[in-house]
Amino acid sequence: MILQNFKVVQKLLVLIIGALISIVAITGVYLYFHKQVMLEDRMTKTRHLVESAYGVLDYYYEKTKSGDLTEAEAQNQAMRVVEGMRYEEKDYFWINDMQPVMIMHPYVKQLEGTDISGFEDPNGKRLFTEFVNVCQEKNEGFVDYMWPMPGHDEPVSKLSYVKRFKPWGWIVGTGIYLDDVDQAVATKEAEIAAAISSQRNWLILVFGALLALTAAGVAVISRRITRPIVTAIDMLKNIAQGEGDLTRRLVVN
């Protein structure tokens, strides 16, 4: 093997470098799973939020079954409630039907009542058509796409959860920007890098001390091993040349 040709100090350096590479790899794996956990948490939260908005529609639908409200009255009141719902300060819900036509959007009012089937993101994905497809196949689910985000020049990745309210043929949904998750992971990376940087001098000192101690130990052990061997070799050479004192004894420790 190649390591057999290395000196002990060189082998130690290889082990230290290998340990550092392992630390970097473990950190990378940790950040990956940290991102996945954060994403799963955000997805679960988004689904629960949509279910709360769905509950509003169901509440007013029950009002029509009991005769307290007409269907038009129930739909109008349900829309107004969902329109006013907010979370994370400015995040909102929208409602469209299965055509799809926009029923209610709290910010882009000009979309209400218009056919949004041809609405595309920068990659050409017809997101509202995808919302309808997901709801037709599974009644609810996630759809990823690109969407403008305040403070950004270019659209960023967004993930929306939509759920179909069958009695009225409506789809209620909301979305999360994945850029938020990426920023959180980047913040964690910066924290780890700062922690490593703050301990850099200490780590260098420790590794330097380990190298010095190892080199000193190797030198001492090497002398203790090689000195008797050299003595024995010298005696054997003297005997082989006929000059040695055969009465001498070789002390073996």
Side-chain angles (χ1 to χ4, degrees):
M1 297 176 63
I2 297 177
L3 285 178
Q4 291 177 343
N5 299 324
F6 284 8
K7 295 179 181 180
V8 174
V9 175
Q10 292 174 326
K11 291 180 181 179
L12 180 62
L13 283 173
V14 171
L15 290 176
I16 292 174
I17 293 172
L20 291 174
I21 293 174
S22 299
I23 291 172
V24 172
I26 291 172
T27 302
V29 172
Y30 163 76
L31 289 172
Y32 170 79
F33 283 106
H34 178 70
K35 180 177 180 178
Q36 296 305 309
V37 169
M38 288 187 61
L39 184 58
E40 288 292 336
D41 179 68
R42 294 292 300 276
M43 290 172 67
T44 300
K45 178 182 177 181
T46 302
R47 179 168 56 83
H48 289 166
L49 287 167
V50 169
E51 288 172 352
S52 68
Y54 181 94
V56 172
L57 304 185
D58 190 56
Y59 170 79
Y60 282 98
Y61 173 67
E62 292 297 324
K63 290 287 188 180
T64 65
K65 293 173 63 176
S66 64
D68 294 337
L69 296 171
T70 65
E71 184 172 272
E73 291 172 337
Q75 289 180 345
N76 183 64
Q77 291 185 31
M79 279 192 296
R80 298 289 77 83
V81 172
V82 175
E83 182 179 18
M85 293 174 66
R86 296 289 184 275
Y87 62 96
E88 301 294 338
E89 296 184 3
K90 294 184 179 181
D91 290 325
Y92 60 90
F93 301 89
W94 78 88
I95 300 172
N96 59 268
D97 63 18
M98 301 295 291
Q99 299 307 314
V101 171
M102 181 64 73
I103 301 297
M104 183 280 298
H105 195 291
Y107 290 128
V108 191
K109 306 306 290 184
Q110 62 267 29
L111 286 178
E112 294 182 354
T114 63
D115 184 345
I116 50 177
S117 59
F119 200 94
E120 298 180 346
D121 74 354
N123 294 328
K125 175 178 284 189
R126 295 188 175 185
L127 53 138
F128 288 100
T129 300
E130 290 294 324
F131 296 155
V132 171
N133 292 338
V134 167
C135 288
Q136 285 178 336
E137 294 174 7
K138 300 181 291 185
N139 204 49
E140 57 189 301
F142 286 97
V143 175
D144 62 285
Y145 54 97
M146 303 296 292
W147 191 259
M149 181 179 181
H152 289 67
D153 296 330
E154 300 293 334
V156 300
S157 296
K158 192 172 185 179
L159 188 67
S160 284
Y161 188 81
V162 291
K163 188 169 184 177
R164 179 183 183 184
F165 187 69
K166 287 185 178 180
W168 292 343
W170 286 3
I171 295 173
V172 59
T174 190
I176 56 173
Y177 288 103
L178 300 185
D179 184 71
D180 293 343
V181 177
D182 292 335
Q183 287 181 353
V185 173
T187 300
K188 180 63 69 173
E189 289 177 347
E191 290 175 355
I192 292 174
I196 293 175
S197 178
S198 65
Q199 300 296 325
R200 181 180 55 196
N201 294 335
W202 182 83
L203 290 173
I204 292 174
L205 180 62
V206 169
F207 284 134
L210 286 175
L211 282 174
L213 289 173
T214 302
V218 168
V220 171
I221 293 172
S222 297
R223 284 198 298 270
R224 292 179 63 88
I225 293 174
T226 58
R227 188 177 299 164
I229 294 175
V230 171
T231 301
I233 291 173
D234 289 341
M235 289 181 63
L236 292 174
K237 285 182 178 180
N238 289 337
I239 293 171
Q241 295 171 359
E243 301 173 356
D245 182 0
L246 299 180
T247 63
R248 290 180 59 188
R249 295 181 63 86
L250 180 64
V251 179
V252 180
N253 296 321

